[in-house]
Amino acid sequence: MFSIERFAGAYALCEDGDGRRVKLLRSALPADAREGDLILWEGAWRIDGTATAARRAQLEKRTAGLKKPEKLV
Amino acid sequence: MRARRAVGWLLLALVAAALFLGAWRYGGSLLEGIESFRRSLRPSEPLAVTVIDVGQGSAALVQAGDTDLLIDCGERSSADRLCSELAASGVKRLSAVVVTHLHTDHFGGLVDLLGRFPVDEVILPDTPAELLPTNKTYERLLDALETTGTPCTVQTKPQTRPLSEDAALTFLNGFLAAPGEINDTSLTLRIDCGGVSFLITGDGERTVEARLLETGALVSADVYVAGHHGSNSSSGQSFLNAVRPVASAVSAGRGNDYGLPSAAVLDRLAAFGPVYRTDVSGSVRFVTDGVTIRVRAAGIDDELTPREG
């Protein structure tokens, strides 16, 4: 499974589960593919909406839990 | 051969003398001498902004007085290059690292930087949950922030922070109510020192530029670091007419696959003044006393006069 990191020109820059960069042609992806979508190959690229939502929820929770400054400047 | 060896010994003697003098001046150990020598590498002018060559990505070091602040960190694969450049610029500790937006070519280098330099604070863009990255590099950034216990602030509104007695950093109001993609969350930063100003827009595209104009944000600046690596999706003509830079910088990777910077943007920027490119000249250092601007890069040593008024 790959995560779409961003779109750049004709490419979708993706990462695999180890953080390795994989460059795909944007035109090969579903038209509604968005940054952050997790995609998998099943003869064609498919967005895994359930896995995407679960991954986002997990990282959102960790983002919200980051240490805050003791005193805001 | 003999002459070359003599020059080598002379250089070595000079470095040793600098270390000795530093130790003597600070009345301390050789290590303190080394530290004073490193400090001597710091700019003596009130403000230096270095657009660091991190390949296809962005990173800019802001040095004002005792404050060292980094805006973006390039890709993780460029972390060694970034950290070397910080060390060569005399950085020992970063007061803050600002991540303009959560794309890996802007935050990736922070993953490894956090283990190599003390960072007092990381300032993150306000990113809605539905736009948060899901990639491994972001997870590793969270790992690094948690492990080091680095305090994090989410920048949600315009704000000015002093950098030194002479310089200040301002987050301008380019905040979109409903960002549709990560570039829309890009923070826009302005740095002022005396009569000289810098503008850095991250990967903010025309929607962010329109918002900045709509809110009346003070975007006019002497040096403009072109948005989105010089992509034609940024640096629109109406925005540039408001910025009116006397010079611009573009951070892009040599021979990148994305055609950046765009020829159209280069033309638009060149109509206002010289354009300095990291893909052509490597890192570009702007140093100012608040009155004039000195630009240094490989093969470049220019002096610019800021725009009046």
Side-chain angles (χ1 to χ4, degrees):
Chain A
M1 192 167 312
F2 297 103
S3 165
I4 301 175
E5 199 272 309
R6 66 182 186 273
F7 295 105
Y11 299 100
L13 306 185
C14 304
E15 280 191 11
D16 68 10
D18 292 320
R20 281 185 292 256
R21 170 60 48 79
V22 178
K23 200 186 286 183
L24 302 175
L25 275 176
R26 189 172 187 168
S27 57
L29 300 182
D32 59 345
R34 300 178 64 222
E35 291 173 332
D37 281 345
L38 298 181
I39 55 172
L40 45 94
W41 178 256
E42 290 177 341
W45 291 106
R46 180 178 75 77
I47 300 166
D48 187 333
T50 307
T52 301
R55 175 86 172 150
R56 275 231 167 85
Q58 177 200 15
L59 296 178
E60 181 192 357
K61 191 175 173 189
R62 288 185 63 188
T63 303
L66 289 171
K67 183 180 174 185
K68 307 289 184 294
E70 288 176 11
K71 183 185 166 193
L72 290 173
V73 178
Chain B
M1 187 67 184
R2 189 175 288 175
R4 193 183 288 177
R5 193 176 294 170
V7 170
W9 279 111
L10 183 62
L11 283 173
L12 197 63
L14 282 172
V15 170
L19 295 177
F20 177 78
L21 284 173
W24 172 76
R25 183 180 164 195
Y26 285 85
S29 66
L30 187 63
L31 279 179
E32 285 168 319
I34 292 171
E35 170 53 23
S36 71
F37 178 67
R38 281 173 59 87
R39 260 200 293 264
S40 72
L41 299 175
R42 295 183 55 82
S44 55
E45 298 292 357
L47 177 69
V49 176
T50 307
V51 180
I52 299 175
D53 177 12
V54 286
Q56 184 54 38
S58 288
L61 173 65
V62 179
Q63 297 180 285
D66 292 329
T67 300
D68 290 336
L69 177 139
L70 187 63
I71 301 170
D72 288 329
C73 307
E75 289 278 6
R76 192 170 183 208
S77 55
S78 303
D80 286 345
R81 200 194 305 191
L82 173 67
C83 291
S84 296
E85 187 112 16
L86 294 182
S89 298
V91 174
K92 289 205 74 185
R93 174 180 209 96
L94 287 160
S95 307
V97 174
V98 179
V99 175
T100 59
H101 65 291
L102 295 179
H103 277 155
T104 60
D105 57 335
H106 291 252
F107 76 75
L110 183 55
V111 174
D112 299 299
L113 183 150
L114 282 167
R116 301 187 201 177
F117 289 88
V119 177
D120 294 338
E121 182 184 14
V122 169
I123 300 172
L124 297 167
D126 190 9
T127 311
E130 67 273 16
L131 294 183
L132 272 183
T134 59
N135 55 70
K136 190 71 180 178
T137 304
Y138 184 61
E139 184 181 351
R140 286 180 172 143
L141 175 63
L142 295 175
D143 292 343
L145 289 168
E146 289 167 357
T147 303
T148 57
T150 308
C152 297
T153 304
V154 176
Q155 192 67 39
T156 58
K157 59 180 191 303
Q159 184 186 28
T160 297
R161 292 174 173 228
L163 294 171
S164 67
E165 285 182 8
D166 305 298
L169 169 79
T170 301
F171 294 93
L172 297 180
N173 191 359
F175 298 93
L176 296 180
E181 55 184 49
I182 289 177
N183 282 345
D184 292 342
T185 67
S186 273
L187 296 170
T188 303
L189 300 102
R190 176 189 179 84
I191 302 147
D192 285 284
C193 176
V196 174
S197 51
F198 294 77
L199 184 71
I200 299 178
T201 59
D203 279 1
E205 299 184 331
R206 301 205 187 194
T207 46
V208 174
E209 293 174 356
R211 177 70 181 152
L212 288 162
L213 297 179
E214 178 189 309
T215 61
L218 190 57
V219 294
S220 65
D222 298 299
V223 178
Y224 168 59
V225 180
H228 203 178
H229 319 283
S231 164
N232 200 31
S233 60
S234 304
S235 304
Q237 189 64 58
S238 55
F239 185 66
L240 290 181
N241 289 343
V243 179
R244 293 190 299 132
V246 295
S248 302
V250 178
S251 183
R254 188 170 287 117
N256 67 78
D257 291 339
Y258 319 115
L260 298 173
S262 108
V265 168
L266 290 177
D267 285 346
R268 289 201 290 274
L269 296 176
F272 289 91
V275 182
Y276 303 98
R277 299 169 51 175
T278 60
D279 61 330
V280 174
S281 307
S283 297
V284 183
R285 188 171 180 84
F286 298 88
V287 180
T288 182
D289 56 1
V291 179
T292 60
I293 307 163
R294 191 92 180 253
V295 191
R296 285 198 171 133
I300 294 170
D301 186 356
D302 293 346
E303 189 159 315
L304 306 173
T305 304
R307 182 176 17 80
E308 285 182 24

